[in-house]
Amino acid sequence: MSSLVIHDLHVSIGDKPIVKGLSLTVNSGEVHAIMGPNGTGKSTLAKVIAGHPDYTVTGGDVLLDGRSVLAQEADERARAGLFLAFQYPSEIPGVSIANFLRAAVQARLPEGEEIDATAYYKRLYAKMDLLKIDRKFTSRAVNEGFSGGEKKRCEILQMAMLEPKMAVMDETDSGLDIDALRIVSDGVNALRGPGLGVLMITHYQRLLNHIVPDFVHVMYDGRIVKSGDKSLALDLESRGYDWVKQELAALPA
Amino acid sequence: MTTTTAPLPPAPVGAFTRAAFEAHLASLPPLPEWWLARKRAAFERFAALPLPVRTDEAWRFSNVSGLTLDGFAPPAPARAVPFASIGISKAARLIFANGRLFSREILAPDLGRRGVVVDTLQNALREHGDLVREHLLAQPARLGSGKFSALHEAFLVDGAFVHVPRGVEVELPIGIFSFALGDHAAVFPHTLVVADEGARVTVIDYFGSQDDTERQLAIGANDLYAGHGARITYVGKQDWSHQALALQSNSTVVRRDAGVQSLNVHLGARQARHESHSQLQAPGANSEMLSLTVARDEQEFDQRTLQIHQAPNTRSDLLYKNALLQRARTIFSGLIVVDPDAQKTDAYQSNRNLMLSDEADANSLPGLEIQANDVRCTHGATTSRIDPEQEFYLQARGIPKRAADELLTFGFFEEVLNRLSQDDLHAALRTLIQTKFAGEKAAR
């Protein structure tokens, strides 16, 4: 049983505060969705959890299984069980998916232990079959010349291979047509289970038709302002974010 | 300020004195007259020429103070070599240690029957004298290393000779290994490849030392001659001791409709200079010049290139990539020359430097000299750093920063390795470069 605890987190880029006291707990087996208008700090939150060096945490904490990850480099956090599915995955020319994933798997082995190549490929092909990905995919350079859907599927394949405890999925639905969205969602659903906690960040409700969340949170101006179950997402879909903003404005300061 | 005229000091020769030269000649088997005369003339050139100085344009940005010849000596014959298979099947293998033949194996049994010669230069001087005379060091050193080329010719003991007769294709590569063993050893490796009309051959030239701390001098050369419609693939892997001073010069001559692809991988030496000179002599000639360098610590890699288009409808394509770590330095100076009647020339020249350290230093001097009016020529140099977003992406998958940078560097090199059509060679080179990165990690 794992937990990702975000406690009163404050984040700035330069001098500009972006995340302003956000708290949230994700446990294994749960799927949480964070929704919110653009510019509210959702992607910043995702990158900060993963350890992007451009952001400064000015207060609060992020804990994986009770241990703060804030002092750790991005690679240490990933090896501890965190995974970020990128909104805009980088293209890595000249590095094949097979070699890239191999390096990632190798990095999880004890010092001096070499990866078992046969077992690695067996597992890789099994995961690709599970996600219905063509085997020719592995020899292509990571994300280079990929369509939006291929990039996102590649993210899901990485997640399947690395078997994280907690996955943060940043706008996984962006840039996908309806078919690609279904394929990617099927992939995430195939990986759902008691050993995995998921924090999905999305602007639109449509992703949540395919990956049904256990909890929905509304993020606005750097904080979570409302939490509920999946019906909250449907309310947002029909009523828009202005409804939340008005409700907030009506609250005593 | 006053100016005085001082007599010119004698040109420096280090340990390569006239007496040492005579002793060298005495150690060789009887030589053909023409070759003996050329060696003597080469020694005179060597003795007369000054060492390069900072103001020589051909040595711009080079560390000329590192070019000392003092203290080196022709080494004793070696009793063992640090040979390690790189896992590629070969048609033949020649191993040289300290300039002398250590072993010669013909592994493809039909080579002799098909008229392919893989032998030493010493034997070839006797048995294929005309061919050797026509092609051995036949092109003048034009890129600045005149003194060192002369030293190479004067003190050359032995080398490899590969001759592929008309229409013969040698499927497997021919491997030539040259080792320098012992502190202060001076070696002069040479590889001569002659491919007659329509012949095809791949030659892998490997240069290495046993001990990375030994100070050595390696002055090597290779001559590649591709006759009408011939194809030569040449791979040079330079892995000398990290205390070596290494100078290598290549001369490639490409005849009608012939093609030469050369890839030099530079890993070793403290200071390494590589001069590469391609002559496109007849229509349809094509030269692809590739290079990969991993420069680290205080290493300096100095590459000078010349692509000369002497006939119409010729093509040359140069792609040199350097990865620089720590305080390493690289220099690239390239020149494309298109003669007046070499219309419809296609010539490309590209030098790309990946800086993995703020203290590393990459210098690039691309150049064109075009005298024809209907040509397509491009040249350019770029210097880039590791992209922080790519690095973060890899780190976010659990790959430590250092391994991430290594992977990105391999990605950077892959564009060059992908040009090789032989998959096993591609894989072997990738492994070799990987070992170099791994060795660095272990050592530091």
Side-chain angles (χ1 to χ4, degrees):
Chain A
M1 182 76 179
S2 276
S3 66
L4 176 67
V5 175
I6 303 164
H7 176 68
D8 193 26
L9 188 68
H10 289 73
V11 181
S12 294
I13 304 177
D15 292 335
K16 190 170 183 262
I18 306 287
V19 176
K20 304 167 184 173
L22 185 143
S23 296
L24 179 68
T25 297
V26 180
N27 294 307
S28 312
E30 297 172 356
V31 175
H32 291 242
I34 292 187
M35 301 183 69
N38 287 328
T40 201
K42 300 191 302 292
S43 282
T44 298
L45 175 67
K47 287 187 179 168
V48 162
I49 294 171
H52 196 290
D54 284 358
Y55 301 89
T56 315
V57 173
T58 53
D61 210 345
V62 177
L63 304 111
L64 179 65
D65 298 338
R67 272 191 65 195
S68 174
V69 300
L70 290 181
Q72 295 179 332
E73 293 280 322
D75 57 295
E76 293 174 79
R77 298 185 197 192
R79 293 195 299 275
L82 277 174
F83 183 88
L84 170 63
F86 283 68
Q87 181 179 7
Y88 303 112
S90 287
E91 298 190 6
I92 315 286
V95 178
S96 70
I97 289 179
N99 283 341
F100 166 55
L101 273 170
R102 194 180 162 135
V105 172
Q106 174 74 55
R108 285 161 171 78
L109 298 177
E111 186 80 34
E113 190 180 319
E114 270 298 309
I115 192 166
D116 175 346
T118 315
Y120 161 72
Y121 275 102
K122 200 174 157 199
R123 204 162 76 82
L124 177 61
Y125 290 146
K127 298 290 186 186
M128 293 177 81
D129 291 347
L130 176 75
L131 300 172
K132 300 183 182 71
I133 295 174
D134 192 315
R135 290 189 183 180
K136 279 190 289 220
F137 207 63
T138 54
S139 58
R140 292 177 64 184
V142 178
N143 295 321
E144 197 181 35
F146 282 22
S147 69
E150 285 175 324
K151 283 186 180 172
K152 297 299 166 76
R153 257 200 286 177
C154 182
E155 294 292 290
I156 305 304
L157 174 63
Q158 293 168 42
M159 182 170 144
M161 279 302 283
L162 300 177
E163 297 178 347
K165 296 173 184 167
M166 290 288 158
V168 180
M169 314 196 69
D170 188 10
E171 307 268 6
T172 293
D173 52 330
S174 70
L176 298 188
D177 61 32
I178 190 68
D179 293 328
L181 180 65
R182 186 172 297 118
I183 292 167
V184 168
S185 305
D186 286 350
V188 176
N189 286 329
L191 301 177
R192 261 179 105 155
L196 176 68
V198 176
L199 180 58
M200 276 194 304
I201 289 171
T202 181
H203 185 74
Y204 299 105
Q205 137 75 19
R206 64 170 191 164
L207 176 67
L208 306 184
N209 291 333
H210 298 274
I211 308 170
V212 180
D214 303 302
F215 304 93
V216 174
H217 311 275
V218 179
M219 187 166 172
Y220 182 70
D221 194 24
R223 270 167 299 174
I224 285 174
V225 293
K226 207 169 180 61
S227 295
D229 61 15
K230 63 184 177 188
S231 62
L232 176 58
L234 295 170
D235 281 350
L236 286 167
E237 177 77 353
S238 57
R239 297 168 70 182
Y241 288 111
D242 285 346
W243 155 69
V244 180
K245 292 181 199 173
Q246 282 156 15
E247 228 182 62
L248 278 176
L251 288 176
Chain B
M1 192 175 149
T2 57
T3 335
T4 54
T5 314
L8 280 173
V13 294
F16 305 99
T17 59
R18 196 167 294 277
F21 178 60
E22 293 302 333
H24 157 70
L25 290 183
S27 76
L28 297 177
L31 303 179
E33 271 310 309
W34 68 268
W35 179 230
L36 186 62
R38 275 184 45 183
K39 282 177 81 77
R40 288 197 180 280
F43 181 78
E44 297 308 326
R45 277 203 313 283
F46 161 71
L49 285 167
L51 278 172
V53 292
R54 190 164 298 281
T55 48
D56 289 345
E57 187 56 30
W59 292 83
R60 202 170 159 204
F61 297 119
S62 302
N63 171 25
V64 292
S65 64
L67 298 172
T68 175
L69 298 171
D70 295 334
F72 298 108
R79 311 265 290 273
V81 293
F83 173 77
S85 170
I86 53 166
I88 296 175
S89 307
K90 296 197 181 66
R93 183 160 59 211
L94 290 178
I95 301 178
F96 293 90
N98 286 350
R100 292 172 195 278
L101 183 70
F102 185 82
S103 69
R104 171 173 173 263
E105 296 158 273
I106 303 297
L107 303 161
D110 62 342
L111 276 191
R113 185 174 52 72
R114 299 166 76 197
V116 178
V117 180
V118 180
D119 209 337
T120 61
L121 274 175
Q122 284 192 359
N123 286 342
L125 279 165
R126 278 198 313 274
E127 292 160 25
H128 307 277
D130 290 347
L131 268 180
V132 176
R133 187 173 187 173
E134 189 182 344
H135 298 293
L136 179 67
L137 293 164
Q139 309 303 322
R142 285 189 49 178
L143 286 160
S145 277
K147 186 178 180 76
F148 302 103
S149 299
L151 181 61
H152 170 85
E153 187 166 1
F155 281 86
L156 176 58
V157 177
D158 205 354
F161 174 73
V162 175
H163 177 225
V164 186
R166 184 175 169 169
V168 172
E169 179 174 352
V170 184
E171 289 82 8
L172 293 174
I174 291 165
I176 297 155
F177 294 77
S178 298
F179 294 102
L181 306 161
D183 205 20
H184 293 94
V187 294
F188 304 94
H190 196 103
T191 296
L192 168 59
V193 181
V194 179
D196 287 347
E197 184 174 341
R200 281 167 186 262
V201 65
T202 297
V203 174
I204 304 172
D205 228 349
Y206 178 91
F207 307 101
S209 307
Q210 183 151 34
D211 182 338
D212 259 351
T213 65
E214 287 178 340
R215 205 175 148 234
Q216 294 168 337
L217 175 69
I219 302 181
N222 64 63
D223 301 301
L224 309 177
Y225 180 88
H228 188 161
R231 290 273 180 283
I232 297 175
T233 303
Y234 174 89
V235 177
K237 298 192 290 181
Q238 189 272 90
D239 199 12
W240 296 120
S241 155
H242 282 227
Q243 293 305 316
L245 169 63
L247 298 104
Q248 174 83 8
S249 81
N250 151 258
S251 161
T252 296
V253 172
V254 196
R255 302 294 299 162
R256 181 180 286 269
D257 297 329
V260 174
Q261 182 188 53
S262 63
L263 166 58
N264 286 286
V265 179
H266 304 281
L267 303 171
R270 173 180 49 79
Q271 181 172 353
R273 169 133 170 153
H274 192 273
E275 298 184 358
S276 195
H277 176 191
S278 272
Q279 295 179 57
L280 293 310
Q281 290 190 339
N286 183 9
S287 179
E288 189 176 11
M289 301 156 78
L290 306 169
S291 166
L292 297 179
T293 303
V294 181
R296 61 177 178 86
D297 300 319
E298 313 271 342
Q299 283 183 306
E300 175 180 298
F301 292 92
D302 179 6
Q303 300 173 314
R304 313 276 164 160
T305 66
L306 191 52
Q307 298 153 261
I308 303 190
H309 292 258
Q310 296 162 323
N313 292 300
T314 50
R315 185 174 189 278
S316 67
D317 185 1
L318 178 150
L319 178 59
Y320 277 32
K321 286 196 163 188
N322 301 323
L324 293 90
L325 298 88
Q326 290 119 13
R327 291 169 306 282
R329 301 185 71 229
T330 60
I331 301 134
F332 170 81
S333 173
L335 183 62
I336 297 173
V337 176
V338 181
D339 285 355
D341 59 351
Q343 301 293 1
K344 306 281 182 196
T345 282
D346 258 352
Y348 306 96
Q349 184 197 87
S350 173
N351 167 229
R352 305 218 168 117
N353 300 302
L354 179 63
M355 313 297 282
L356 292 142
S357 151
D358 290 336
E359 294 166 279
D361 175 31
N363 303 279
S364 227
L365 300 160
L368 294 175
E369 206 178 282
I370 299 173
Q371 298 174 60
N373 54 24
D374 182 15
V375 301
R376 196 163 57 173
C377 292
T378 63
H379 68 153
T382 59
T383 294
S384 58
R385 289 174 190 285
I386 292 283
D387 175 347
E389 289 305 320
Q390 291 180 343
E391 191 179 57
F392 174 64
Y393 187 70
L394 298 186
Q395 282 191 269
R397 298 299 175 251
I399 302 170
K401 186 171 182 296
R402 183 155 193 156
D405 290 356
E406 188 183 313
L407 207 56
L408 291 170
T409 307
F410 276 97
F412 169 75
F413 282 158
E414 203 62 14
E415 183 190 357
V416 174
L417 292 175
N418 276 336
R419 299 270 193 106
L420 290 173
S421 52
Q422 294 106 316
D423 287 346
D424 53 347
L425 200 51
H426 181 154
L429 289 177
R430 193 196 285 136
T431 306
L432 184 86
I433 298 168
Q434 229 147 16
T435 313
K436 209 67 204 173
F437 270 92
E440 187 219 1
K441 264 178 276 186
R444 256 142 273 272

